[in-house]
């Protein structure tokens, strides 16, 4: 059984399914995908994601504000915590730093990231981090603010093995997306071979970054299987081994996603 540890279910292209999210999720289940973590990019989107989770026992949600999402007023840590509590989030994020673009000033991104990290620490919820061209600052803020016993994940990882190893040392997991299947991603496949299997997650980041052989199409949760197949090939192990271990890793990092945890959650 596979887990899509990072997907944007509120942003999928549902045209192939007649606009029906249920059908898209069922297509993923038909391929063995049995859990979905729907990732928030804005606090305003949390109610919609919570509604999806209420309708589907195998969907959980995060709460956060993407580093490049523009808002009129920046949320403080307390606002993020309140949103997470209200909607039964199992994680904080996605958050982080993205210095490739300048739509949100870097200092604003830093302050926003710290607010999320403080919320993560206060609620003892793992943090989902987006980082691009901000390696040193991302790691520095993790060291300063994250409880290693709670930790988090560097999602859609595209950095080098050195950064991966430092993140692992800080209690983080590394999540690989469809990028690992791209012809240009040989260095990332090297990371896939080297990171301990018990610290890896797999994701689609759908509707973005569709893996080979689906490039050029909007991504879907069902294609997390292709990510697992690539990792299995690179490591010389079976796809079942990748599926089982990444699923175990997912529940270890996100204990609120365990079926018993969701059953006890009055918000979902």
């Amino acid at each position: 059984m596979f887990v899509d540890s990072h997907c944007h279910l509120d942003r999928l292209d549902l045209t192939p399914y007649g606009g029906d999210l249920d059908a898209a999720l069922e297509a993923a289940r038909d391929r063995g995908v049995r859990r979905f973590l729907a990732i928030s990019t804005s606090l305003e989107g949390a109610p919609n994601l919570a509604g999806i989770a209420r309708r589907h026992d195998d969907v959980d949600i995060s709460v956060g504000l993407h580093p490049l999402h523009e808002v009129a007023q920046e949320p403080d840590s307390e606002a993020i915590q309140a949103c997470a509590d209200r909607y039964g989030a199992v994680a904080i994020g996605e958050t982080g730093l993205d210095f490739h673009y300048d739509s949100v000033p870097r200092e604003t991104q830093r302050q926003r990231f710290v607010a999320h990290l403080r919320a993560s620490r206060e609620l003892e919820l793992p943090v989902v981090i987006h980082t691009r061209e901000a390696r040193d600052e991302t790691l520095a803020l993790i060291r300063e603010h994250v409880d290693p016993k709670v930790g988090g994940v560097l999602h859609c990882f595209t950095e080098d093995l050195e950064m991966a190893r430092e993140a692992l040392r800080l209690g983080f997991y590394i999540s690989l997306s469809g990028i690992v299947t791209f012809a240009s991603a040989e260095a990332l496949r090297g990371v896939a071979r080297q990171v301990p299997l018990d610290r890896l997650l797999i994701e689609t980041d759908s509707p973005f970054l569709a893996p080979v052989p689906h490039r050029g199409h909007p991504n879907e949760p069902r294609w997390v299987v292709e990510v697992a197949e690539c990792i299995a090939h690179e490591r010389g192990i079976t796809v079942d081994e990748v599926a089982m271990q990444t699923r175990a890793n997912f529940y270890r990092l996100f204990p609120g996603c365990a079926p018993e945890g969701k059953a006890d959650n009055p918000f979902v």
Side-chain angles (χ1 to χ4, degrees), residues 33-200:
V33 185
R34 291 291 183 266
R35 205 87 199 171
F36 310 85
L37 182 51
I39 300 295
S40 171
T41 57
S42 71
L43 300 190
E44 292 78 12
N48 183 34
L49 287 181
I52 294 171
R54 280 194 296 271
R55 295 192 300 273
H56 299 278
D57 288 342
D58 52 3
V59 173
D60 298 280
I61 72 166
S62 72
V63 160
L65 179 60
H66 191 283
L68 295 178
H69 190 90
E70 298 178 56
V71 292
Q73 182 173 355
E74 288 293 318
D76 58 18
S77 177
E78 288 73 20
I80 297 165
Q81 292 176 56
C83 188
D85 277 338
R86 179 174 184 181
Y87 295 110
V90 301
I92 299 297
E94 66 183 281
T95 182
L97 301 172
D98 191 321
F99 293 166
H100 183 74
Y101 299 103
D102 57 6
S103 55
V104 175
R106 292 186 177 188
E107 185 54 36
T108 300
Q109 289 190 43
R110 292 184 189 98
Q111 294 172 4
R112 182 184 296 183
F113 189 22
V114 169
H116 283 76
L117 295 178
R118 288 174 175 164
S120 166
R121 193 176 188 103
E122 286 296 317
L123 295 177
E124 297 184 344
L125 291 177
V127 62
V128 178
I129 293 181
H130 169 114
T131 180
R132 188 175 186 188
E133 297 179 16
R135 165 186 168 157
D136 292 341
E137 290 197 52
T138 297
L139 290 172
L141 290 172
I142 289 173
R143 291 188 197 100
E144 182 176 357
H145 294 285
V146 175
D147 181 349
K149 290 179 285 190
V150 177
V153 57
L154 298 186
H155 106 89
C156 193
F157 189 80
T158 55
E159 300 288 344
D160 60 19
L161 184 58
E162 182 182 356
M163 184 178 187
R165 285 174 170 158
E166 179 60 12
L168 295 171
R169 191 186 68 80
L170 294 170
F172 271 66
Y173 289 71
I174 302 298
S175 183
L176 299 178
S177 70
I179 293 175
V180 76
T181 70
F182 294 1
S184 59
E186 182 53 42
L188 187 58
R189 285 188 286 277
V191 172
R193 293 189 293 269
Q194 294 294 318
V195 170
L197 189 58
D198 65 355
R199 301 293 289 280
L200 274 178

